[in-house]
Amino acid sequence: MNLQEGPKCCLMAVIAGLLAGVLAVTGTALSTTDSTRLRFDSMTLSEPQFLTGAQGGQPVVIWGDLRLPATREERFPAVILVHGSGGVGPHEERWADELMGIGVATFILDSFSPRGIGETAEDQSRLSLGAMIVDAYRAAELLSTHPRIDSKRIALMGFSRGGYVSLYASLT
């Protein structure tokens, strides 16, 4: 096995595991031309609001960047990439490239920029994990309406703080 085969084999195993955990949601239909930056409604909640299901969060429009593989597949599995405390950067871009290379659509979710947050590394209280979980579910809801995305194969993949979001989003 050469060096390039090793990471691809590992990546395939990771993706297979990710795609087994599906987020099934519904939403407003998208058209096939929606393949760049997509904006959608979300909510900024504190941890106590999120954990207790309390009302009163702050509505916000956030976004993510959707990329579809350049293949002739009718419908693609998709992975929502959830950034860490530093926000969206080269790390998420690299994973999007790798996933696209194996035929998986990607959606790089940006929970910080639309809220005017640059990073949370110095102060994690700038945005609750609960708010980022809501963002992830709203992103999955949006993607599930895209005619090129297989709504039964949408997964979350998070990095650092985004890893917590992915883990907690899988719990009931």
Side-chain angles (χ1 to χ4, degrees):
M1 175 185 310
N2 68 37
L3 290 176
Q4 290 183 343
E5 288 176 326
K8 286 197 178 195
C9 290
C10 291
L11 180 60
M12 291 296 284
V14 168
I15 297 309
L18 286 171
L19 296 180
V22 175
L23 295 173
V25 291
T26 59
T28 308
L30 291 174
S31 73
T32 57
T33 59
D34 294 318
S35 59
T36 55
R37 178 152 292 172
L38 301 177
R39 290 172 169 75
F40 56 96
D41 294 329
S42 192
M43 188 71 58
T44 303
L45 302 165
S46 67
E47 290 297 340
Q49 286 174 313
F50 178 79
L51 293 172
T52 62
Q55 301 298 312
Q58 181 67 38
V60 63
V61 175
I62 65 166
W63 58 75
D65 292 326
L66 176 64
R67 298 179 187 179
L68 300 174
T71 65
R72 294 182 176 234
E73 296 291 322
E74 284 188 33
R75 299 183 76 167
F76 302 102
V79 174
I80 300 167
L81 301 171
V82 185
H83 62 76
S85 298
V88 174
H91 186 75
E92 290 77 18
E93 298 288 337
R94 171 67 195 269
W95 273 100
D97 290 343
E98 291 292 328
L99 292 165
M100 294 275 294
I102 61 169
V104 176
T106 62
F107 188 74
I108 301 175
L109 177 61
D110 188 346
S111 290
F112 288 179
S113 298
R115 292 179 169 101
I117 299 170
E119 53 79 26
T120 60
E122 297 297 319
D123 181 2
Q124 294 291 320
S125 69
R126 290 180 185 163
L127 184 65
S128 73
L129 287 173
M132 292 179 71
I133 292 168
V134 171
D135 294 350
Y137 272 100
R138 296 277 170 92
E141 182 178 28
L142 177 70
L143 291 180
S144 73
T145 68
H146 196 288
R148 301 289 313 278
I149 300 294
D150 182 345
S151 65
K152 294 181 179 169
R153 296 191 297 159
I154 300 173
L156 287 177
M157 181 176 179
F159 310 96
S160 189
R161 181 179 175 89
Y164 284 105
V165 171
S166 297
L167 174 65
Y168 294 155
S170 72
L171 304 174
T172 52

PDB file of all heavy atoms in Angstrom, residues 44-59:
ATOM      1  N   THR A  44     -30.304  31.595  18.182  1.00  0.00           N
ATOM      2  CA  THR A  44     -29.221  31.673  19.158  1.00  0.00           C
ATOM      3  C   THR A  44     -29.829  31.481  20.540  1.00  0.00           C
ATOM      4  O   THR A  44     -30.666  32.275  20.966  1.00  0.00           O
ATOM      5  CB  THR A  44     -28.490  33.033  19.072  1.00  0.00           C
ATOM      6  OG1 THR A  44     -28.002  33.204  17.732  1.00  0.00           O
ATOM      7  CG2 THR A  44     -27.335  33.089  20.051  1.00  0.00           C
ATOM      8  N   LEU A  45     -29.414  30.400  21.181  1.00  0.00           N
ATOM      9  CA  LEU A  45     -29.933  30.033  22.495  1.00  0.00           C
ATOM     10  C   LEU A  45     -28.787  29.920  23.489  1.00  0.00           C
ATOM     11  O   LEU A  45     -27.683  29.531  23.130  1.00  0.00           O
ATOM     12  CB  LEU A  45     -30.618  28.665  22.435  1.00  0.00           C
ATOM     13  CG  LEU A  45     -31.773  28.497  21.467  1.00  0.00           C
ATOM     14  CD1 LEU A  45     -32.075  27.020  21.267  1.00  0.00           C
ATOM     15  CD2 LEU A  45     -32.992  29.213  21.997  1.00  0.00           C
ATOM     16  N   SER A  46     -29.075  30.196  24.753  1.00  0.00           N
ATOM     17  CA  SER A  46     -28.109  29.937  25.816  1.00  0.00           C
ATOM     18  C   SER A  46     -28.151  28.435  26.115  1.00  0.00           C
ATOM     19  O   SER A  46     -29.085  27.739  25.708  1.00  0.00           O
ATOM     20  CB  SER A  46     -28.462  30.735  27.073  1.00  0.00           C
ATOM     21  OG  SER A  46     -29.677  30.247  27.624  1.00  0.00           O
ATOM     22  N   GLU A  47     -27.171  27.943  26.857  1.00  0.00           N
ATOM     23  CA  GLU A  47     -27.192  26.528  27.246  1.00  0.00           C
ATOM     24  C   GLU A  47     -28.445  26.184  28.047  1.00  0.00           C
ATOM     25  O   GLU A  47     -29.118  25.198  27.736  1.00  0.00           O
ATOM     26  CB  GLU A  47     -25.943  26.150  28.060  1.00  0.00           C
ATOM     27  CG  GLU A  47     -24.659  26.125  27.273  1.00  0.00           C
ATOM     28  CD  GLU A  47     -24.596  25.105  26.146  1.00  0.00           C
ATOM     29  OE1 GLU A  47     -25.363  24.110  26.129  1.00  0.00           O
ATOM     30  OE2 GLU A  47     -23.781  25.304  25.257  1.00  0.00           O
ATOM     31  N   PRO A  48     -28.809  26.995  29.075  1.00  0.00           N
ATOM     32  CA  PRO A  48     -30.034  26.656  29.828  1.00  0.00           C
ATOM     33  C   PRO A  48     -31.283  26.650  28.943  1.00  0.00           C
ATOM     34  O   PRO A  48     -32.137  25.779  29.101  1.00  0.00           O
ATOM     35  CB  PRO A  48     -30.121  27.744  30.899  1.00  0.00           C
ATOM     36  CG  PRO A  48     -28.709  28.199  31.089  1.00  0.00           C
ATOM     37  CD  PRO A  48     -28.082  28.101  29.725  1.00  0.00           C
ATOM     38  N   GLN A  49     -31.398  27.600  28.009  1.00  0.00           N
ATOM     39  CA  GLN A  49     -32.551  27.613  27.109  1.00  0.00           C
ATOM     40  C   GLN A  49     -32.596  26.330  26.283  1.00  0.00           C
ATOM     41  O   GLN A  49     -33.649  25.719  26.111  1.00  0.00           O
ATOM     42  CB  GLN A  49     -32.497  28.817  26.167  1.00  0.00           C
ATOM     43  CG  GLN A  49     -32.818  30.134  26.819  1.00  0.00           C
ATOM     44  CD  GLN A  49     -32.611  31.290  25.866  1.00  0.00           C
ATOM     45  OE1 GLN A  49     -31.582  31.375  25.178  1.00  0.00           O
ATOM     46  NE2 GLN A  49     -33.573  32.187  25.815  1.00  0.00           N
ATOM     47  N   PHE A  50     -31.443  25.941  25.749  1.00  0.00           N
ATOM     48  CA  PHE A  50     -31.391  24.742  24.923  1.00  0.00           C
ATOM     49  C   PHE A  50     -31.735  23.497  25.732  1.00  0.00           C
ATOM     50  O   PHE A  50     -32.548  22.670  25.319  1.00  0.00           O
ATOM     51  CB  PHE A  50     -30.003  24.592  24.297  1.00  0.00           C
ATOM     52  CG  PHE A  50     -29.860  23.345  23.473  1.00  0.00           C
ATOM     53  CD1 PHE A  50     -30.375  23.283  22.191  1.00  0.00           C
ATOM     54  CD2 PHE A  50     -29.227  22.226  23.991  1.00  0.00           C
ATOM     55  CE1 PHE A  50     -30.260  22.127  21.431  1.00  0.00           C
ATOM     56  CE2 PHE A  50     -29.100  21.060  23.240  1.00  0.00           C
ATOM     57  CZ  PHE A  50     -29.622  21.016  21.962  1.00  0.00           C
ATOM     58  N   LEU A  51     -31.119  23.364  26.893  1.00  0.00           N
ATOM     59  CA  LEU A  51     -31.290  22.153  27.700  1.00  0.00           C
ATOM     60  C   LEU A  51     -32.689  21.999  28.275  1.00  0.00           C
ATOM     61  O   LEU A  51     -33.150  20.878  28.495  1.00  0.00           O
ATOM     62  CB  LEU A  51     -30.249  22.114  28.813  1.00  0.00           C
ATOM     63  CG  LEU A  51     -28.809  21.935  28.340  1.00  0.00           C
ATOM     64  CD1 LEU A  51     -27.844  22.100  29.504  1.00  0.00           C
ATOM     65  CD2 LEU A  51     -28.620  20.592  27.655  1.00  0.00           C
ATOM     66  N   THR A  52     -33.372  23.108  28.526  1.00  0.00           N
ATOM     67  CA  THR A  52     -34.720  23.033  29.098  1.00  0.00           C
ATOM     68  C   THR A  52     -35.818  23.193  28.049  1.00  0.00           C
ATOM     69  O   THR A  52     -36.997  23.063  28.377  1.00  0.00           O
ATOM     70  CB  THR A  52     -34.919  24.118  30.180  1.00  0.00           C
ATOM     71  OG1 THR A  52     -34.786  25.413  29.571  1.00  0.00           O
ATOM     72  CG2 THR A  52     -33.925  23.945  31.317  1.00  0.00           C
ATOM     73  N   GLY A  53     -35.442  23.487  26.811  1.00  0.00           N
ATOM     74  CA  GLY A  53     -36.435  23.687  25.764  1.00  0.00           C
ATOM     75  C   GLY A  53     -37.186  24.987  25.920  1.00  0.00           C
ATOM     76  O   GLY A  53     -38.283  25.157  25.382  1.00  0.00           O
ATOM     77  N   ALA A  54     -36.594  25.941  26.648  1.00  0.00           N
ATOM     78  CA  ALA A  54     -37.249  27.233  26.891  1.00  0.00           C
ATOM     79  C   ALA A  54     -37.359  28.037  25.601  1.00  0.00           C
ATOM     80  O   ALA A  54     -36.536  27.915  24.690  1.00  0.00           O
ATOM     81  CB  ALA A  54     -36.469  28.033  27.934  1.00  0.00           C
ATOM     82  N   GLN A  55     -38.373  28.852  25.534  1.00  0.00           N
ATOM     83  CA  GLN A  55     -38.577  29.754  24.402  1.00  0.00           C
ATOM     84  C   GLN A  55     -37.770  31.034  24.624  1.00  0.00           C
ATOM     85  O   GLN A  55     -37.290  31.287  25.716  1.00  0.00           O
ATOM     86  CB  GLN A  55     -40.066  30.092  24.265  1.00  0.00           C
ATOM     87  CG  GLN A  55     -40.932  28.878  24.055  1.00  0.00           C
ATOM     88  CD  GLN A  55     -40.608  28.144  22.775  1.00  0.00           C
ATOM     89  OE1 GLN A  55     -40.489  28.735  21.717  1.00  0.00           O
ATOM     90  NE2 GLN A  55     -40.446  26.831  22.875  1.00  0.00           N
ATOM     91  N   GLY A  56     -37.646  31.846  23.583  1.00  0.00           N
ATOM     92  CA  GLY A  56     -37.041  33.154  23.769  1.00  0.00           C
ATOM     93  C   GLY A  56     -35.656  33.318  23.181  1.00  0.00           C
ATOM     94  O   GLY A  56     -34.987  34.295  23.463  1.00  0.00           O
ATOM     95  N   GLY A  57     -35.208  32.382  22.380  1.00  0.00           N
ATOM     96  CA  GLY A  57     -33.923  32.554  21.721  1.00  0.00           C
ATOM     97  C   GLY A  57     -33.977  33.680  20.705  1.00  0.00           C
ATOM     98  O   GLY A  57     -35.044  34.157  20.326  1.00  0.00           O
ATOM     99  N   GLN A  58     -32.801  34.105  20.263  1.00  0.00           N
ATOM    100  CA  GLN A  58     -32.688  35.185  19.290  1.00  0.00           C
ATOM    101  C   GLN A  58     -32.638  34.607  17.869  1.00  0.00           C
ATOM    102  O   GLN A  58     -31.713  33.874  17.546  1.00  0.00           O
ATOM    103  CB  GLN A  58     -31.411  35.990  19.574  1.00  0.00           C
ATOM    104  CG  GLN A  58     -31.183  37.155  18.645  1.00  0.00           C
ATOM    105  CD  GLN A  58     -32.229  38.234  18.836  1.00  0.00           C
ATOM    106  OE1 GLN A  58     -32.661  38.519  19.940  1.00  0.00           O
ATOM    107  NE2 GLN A  58     -32.635  38.829  17.730  1.00  0.00           N
ATOM    108  N   PRO A  59     -33.626  34.932  16.997  1.00  0.00           N
ATOM    109  CA  PRO A  59     -33.576  34.448  15.617  1.00  0.00           C
ATOM    110  C   PRO A  59     -32.351  35.015  14.897  1.00  0.00           C
ATOM    111  O   PRO A  59     -31.942  36.153  15.144  1.00  0.00           O
ATOM    112  CB  PRO A  59     -34.857  34.992  14.987  1.00  0.00           C
ATOM    113  CG  PRO A  59     -35.736  35.364  16.131  1.00  0.00           C
ATOM    114  CD  PRO A  59     -34.825  35.726  17.264  1.00  0.00           C
TER     115      PRO A  59
END
